[in-house]
Amino acid sequence: MLPTADPPFDPIFVEEAPLSPNYKETIIDNVGLPFYADVDRPDEAPADERERTIDLAERILRAGGVRTGFGHHEEVRVSMESWAPDAGENCEAGPGHWRSHVLLMSPKEMNFGQLTGEPEEKHKKAKTVLAWASECIDSDVLQEIEQSQAEDTKQAWRDAAEAKLTQREIEQFAEDPPDKLDGWTKLDADHDTIKVAYAADNHGTPSVAAVFESTDGELKTLEFTLEDWKESDSNPREARVGRSVLVDITRCDQESDPVIHRDFITNHQPVGIFQRY
């Protein structure tokens, strides 16, 4: 049972919160990790409401063209300048910084959707863009953009959780590897970066598949020809990776012994430890 929580972001253009409470925990749980697993926030996912507001404003500026009715940044600029209230901080129609921040935005910011400045300045520019968009762009378009942002955020967390799961499975496999795997035999490898290695005649080519620690400290799984393996003195960091032999570790969904799949797996759940791509 997942704990309850408030929605992470308030709706701006959509009618309901675009992300449900506990969406991160739900995604983490759905990929096969415990919902409380420590998954680092991906760069693509906004950290807070301010980042989310800035990202949404930039998405609206990047949409452009037929979608928003503004085909060029000059049209956006003219529209913003005619919309922004020409008043000071006491203006009842707006927060007062709208016009100044419209004038501060460069053609590059408007055309490419890349707001510049310190975080607080970018946040004010973003709120200005959202206020302008709410009056000058069709609401259906804005709702679609906001919903797309939510879907991209969920996908970023899903990718991060799946990467975490893969890393965990690699580590678990490296801790207790079997001696044989469907024709692959455990290989004695004395290089200090190697956790476990297997050798086999793979489609007529003597090959080695190894789980090893990369230079960034993460465990990776790659397959090499035996010739390249020997030429590198069994150093997986230096051995040339063979073509189309990237290996990934996947979950076993059966209670049988794990097997190595040599065929390309596409439309069904993989049941082995090594999956060929």
Side-chain angles (χ1 to χ4, degrees):
M1 181 71 178
L2 297 178
T4 57
D6 295 328
F9 300 124
D10 293 328
I12 296 178
F13 302 117
V14 297
E15 295 181 359
E16 298 180 355
L19 294 171
S20 62
N22 306 308
Y23 80 99
K24 290 181 288 187
E25 292 81 0
T26 300
I27 290 171
I28 290 171
D29 182 68
N30 286 343
V31 302
L33 288 168
F35 70 87
Y36 52 81
D38 184 17
V39 178
D40 293 336
R41 180 183 63 84
D43 293 338
E44 299 84 356
D48 52 31
E49 185 67 42
R50 182 168 66 179
E51 285 192 9
R52 183 258 183 147
T53 300
I54 294 171
D55 178 68
L56 183 59
E58 291 179 337
R59 286 169 179 262
I60 290 171
L61 291 174
R62 287 197 299 268
V66 177
R67 192 177 185 191
T68 61
F70 298 98
H72 191 272
H73 67 263
E74 184 67 16
E75 296 177 14
V76 172
R77 185 189 63 78
V78 171
S79 175
M80 281 191 181
E81 289 185 355
S82 64
W83 160 84
D86 186 10
E89 295 294 335
N90 296 323
C91 177
E92 295 182 359
H97 61 243
W98 282 348
R99 182 165 182 80
S100 63
H101 280 83
V102 165
L103 296 175
L104 282 174
M105 275 186 275
S106 67
K108 182 178 180 180
E109 289 178 280
M110 293 181 182
N111 195 31
F112 297 101
Q114 296 177 347
L115 300 179
T116 61
E118 296 297 322
E120 185 57 33
E121 181 182 352
K122 289 173 64 177
H123 190 212
K124 287 184 177 181
K125 288 180 179 179
K127 290 192 293 185
T128 300
V129 171
L130 297 186
W132 161 77
S134 67
E135 297 186 19
C136 300
I137 296 178
D138 186 81
S139 60
D140 289 342
V141 173
L142 297 176
Q143 290 175 11
E144 181 183 331
I145 294 173
E146 185 174 7
Q147 192 60 47
S148 176
Q149 181 194 44
E151 293 301 320
D152 289 346
T153 298
K154 289 189 290 185
Q155 185 60 52
W157 276 104
R158 190 174 297 112
D159 292 344
E162 290 175 348
K164 181 76 172 183
L165 177 63
T166 297
Q167 185 66 20
R168 176 174 291 194
E169 290 169 342
I170 292 175
E171 293 171 354
Q172 291 173 347
F173 177 74
E175 289 177 1
D176 187 25
D179 290 334
K180 291 184 178 294
L181 288 173
D182 190 35
W184 292 72
T185 303
K186 192 175 178 181
L187 179 68
D188 289 333
D190 56 5
H191 196 276
D192 57 8
T193 64
I194 299 172
K195 301 299 182 181
V196 63
Y198 290 86
D201 185 42
N202 195 355
H203 295 294
T205 301
S207 304
V208 173
V211 179
F212 64 98
E213 186 175 312
S214 64
T215 54
D216 58 11
E218 293 188 355
L219 291 182
K220 293 187 176 181
T221 55
L222 295 175
E223 187 178 341
F224 313 87
T225 66
L226 183 59
E227 180 181 359
D228 290 334
W229 181 260
K230 289 181 177 179
E231 287 182 358
S232 70
D233 292 327
S234 304
N235 184 348
R237 293 180 178 177
E238 296 182 0
R240 184 178 62 181
V241 181
R243 291 178 299 175
S244 303
V245 290
L246 179 63
V247 183
D248 188 18
I249 288 184
T250 57
R251 291 192 305 276
C252 293
D253 62 358
Q254 297 178 353
E255 295 182 356
S256 58
D257 292 334
V259 295
I260 292 180
H261 287 263
R262 296 191 180 95
D263 297 324
F264 189 85
I265 300 177
T266 53
N267 297 323
H268 59 81
Q269 175 68 26
V271 297
I273 289 295
F274 290 102
Q275 177 182 350
R276 288 290 307 283
Y277 285 87

